[in-house]
Amino acid sequence: MINYLPRIDAHQHYWLIRRGDYSWMNGDMGVLYKDYLPIDLEPELKKHNIHGSILVQAAPTYEETDFLLSLATRNQSILGVVGWMNPQDYEWERRIRDYMNHCKWVGFRLMIEYMEDLLVLLSEPCISMLNFCARNNISVDVLARVHQLPALIKLLERVPDLRVVLDHLAKPDVRQAELDPWLTYVRNLSNNPNVFVKLSGLVTEAGDKWLYTDFTPYIHYALEYFGTERVMFGSDWPVCLTAASYEQVIDIINSNIPNDFLQDGLWGENARRFYGIKSL
């Protein structure tokens, strides 16, 4: 047990290609088309004095969630697992209660980005599932793009007590330096005290030719709107490797934090609170 504030990477992935349920992956994906497991990330965690990480699903299957939980059982550096749930699964309560029995299951990710019909979010099974999560203090990651944020805003009007973290700041178009309408939607979401954001995944939206200043407005607005207690650092490793090293991802954050901003929460304490991490 550490007796000082933790440093936590709040967003990273592992995968084993031969498992066969990564439908988005193919042999043309370069550095991503290989297995990534704890042994590969742990040197980076140690180098940067990061005590552990939150492992996030990368495939829309319950089998992958079980695989990630098995990794978490065997690896102390995995502090929590964000799994997957089908928002139209009428057996959601049984599945969630089963996962709640695993000490390292910390919630699931709602994959709005890949939904063809956003009305699914307001369907009976999805609303019932999310109300259950709100009542039981279960956190939900949200993967969405900027144009889908109005659907998330409507969802949170129906379930305002749901604890949500917006992954990758909703993937703003860093390459084109676009702020609107991202800025309007993020400001709206920040008015709900149960909504957090992750400073993760931004470098992959910038492409392979980027400057540290490209990320300044997005990080500054996130810090302004969500404050010191609702922003988390996440590397999005190994996806980040398509555009930057682990160290560069950390440097992007460091180079864009105002000098007077209190950083302890961003680098770990907020993730510990949000995900309910008790043992470090």
Side-chain angles (χ1 to χ4, degrees), residues 234-248:
S235 68
D236 199 27
W237 183 96
V239 180
C240 67
L241 298 179
T242 61
S245 68
Y246 196 94
E247 184 165 353
Q248 285 176 313

Side-chain angles (χ1 to χ4, degrees), residues 16-271:
L16 195 60
I17 294 175
R18 67 174 180 268
R19 293 192 49 262
D21 53 2
Y22 307 100
S23 57
W24 54 273
M25 190 180 295
N26 59 64
D28 297 327
M29 300 191 75
V31 69
L32 298 186
Y33 195 69
K34 58 175 285 189
D35 295 340
Y36 286 96
L37 295 168
I39 193 173
D40 302 304
L41 179 59
E42 284 172 2
E44 295 285 1
L45 299 180
K46 183 176 181 180
K47 177 180 178 181
H48 297 286
N49 194 31
I50 295 174
H51 300 102
S53 66
I54 301 298
L55 175 57
V56 180
Q57 59 84 219
T61 66
Y62 295 120
E63 290 78 12
E64 197 232 9
T65 297
D66 294 339
F67 166 68
L68 300 181
L69 289 170
S70 71
L71 287 180
T73 299
R74 303 192 303 270
N75 292 273
Q76 188 175 1
S77 65
I78 302 174
L79 304 177
V81 170
V82 174
W84 178 79
M85 284 293 298
N86 179 353
Q88 293 184 293
D89 186 346
Y90 281 89
E91 295 188 357
W92 60 263
E93 185 170 356
R94 175 185 64 80
R95 294 188 187 276
I96 290 179
R97 289 192 183 279
D98 285 346
Y99 284 133
M100 288 171 68
N101 290 325
H102 196 293
C103 64
K104 288 195 174 181
W105 183 84
V106 294
F108 60 88
R109 182 153 73 154
L110 201 56
M111 306 284 283
I112 295 177
E113 180 177 358
Y114 299 104
M115 289 182 179
E116 295 182 3
D117 182 5
L118 294 182
L119 290 177
V120 167
L121 291 171
L122 301 180
S123 65
E124 189 280 329
C126 186
I127 292 295
S128 294
M129 179 176 71
L130 297 178
N131 273 316
F132 175 88
C133 292
R135 291 193 304 271
N136 289 276
N137 203 33
I138 296 170
S139 65
V140 175
D141 275 54
V142 170
L143 181 66
R145 288 196 172 272
V146 174
H147 70 278
Q148 297 166 321
L149 291 181
L152 176 60
I153 291 168
K154 288 183 180 179
L155 174 64
L156 291 174
E157 289 172 354
R158 294 281 301 274
V159 195
D161 294 331
L162 183 67
R163 292 192 308 110
V164 164
V165 59
L166 185 61
D167 294 349
H168 315 326
L169 289 183
K171 299 187 174 183
D173 192 343
V174 178
R175 192 174 310 198
Q176 299 300 321
E178 289 187 358
L179 281 174
D180 292 318
W182 173 84
L183 191 59
T184 299
Y185 298 149
V186 168
R187 183 189 295 117
N188 182 305
L189 287 166
S190 72
N191 291 328
N192 183 328
N194 296 309
V195 178
F196 288 56
V197 291
K198 288 183 184 177
L199 301 183
S200 60
L202 294 176
V203 74
T204 55
E205 300 305 311
D208 57 359
K209 295 179 180 179
W210 51 267
L211 302 172
Y212 285 101
T213 52
D214 292 342
F215 310 98
T216 303
Y218 305 100
I219 293 174
H220 279 202
Y221 279 120
L223 299 180
E224 177 183 345
Y225 294 149
F226 291 88
T228 59
E229 297 185 350
R230 292 191 288 149
V231 182
M232 309 176 198
F233 158 72
S235 68
D236 199 27
W237 183 96
V239 180
C240 67
L241 298 179
T242 61
S245 68
Y246 196 94
E247 184 165 353
Q248 285 176 313
V249 170
I250 290 177
D251 287 344
I252 286 171
I253 307 300
N254 278 327
S255 66
N256 281 294
I257 298 177
N259 291 333
D260 59 349
F261 186 84
L262 299 178
Q263 301 182 30
D264 288 337
L266 183 157
W267 290 108
E269 177 60 15
N270 295 342

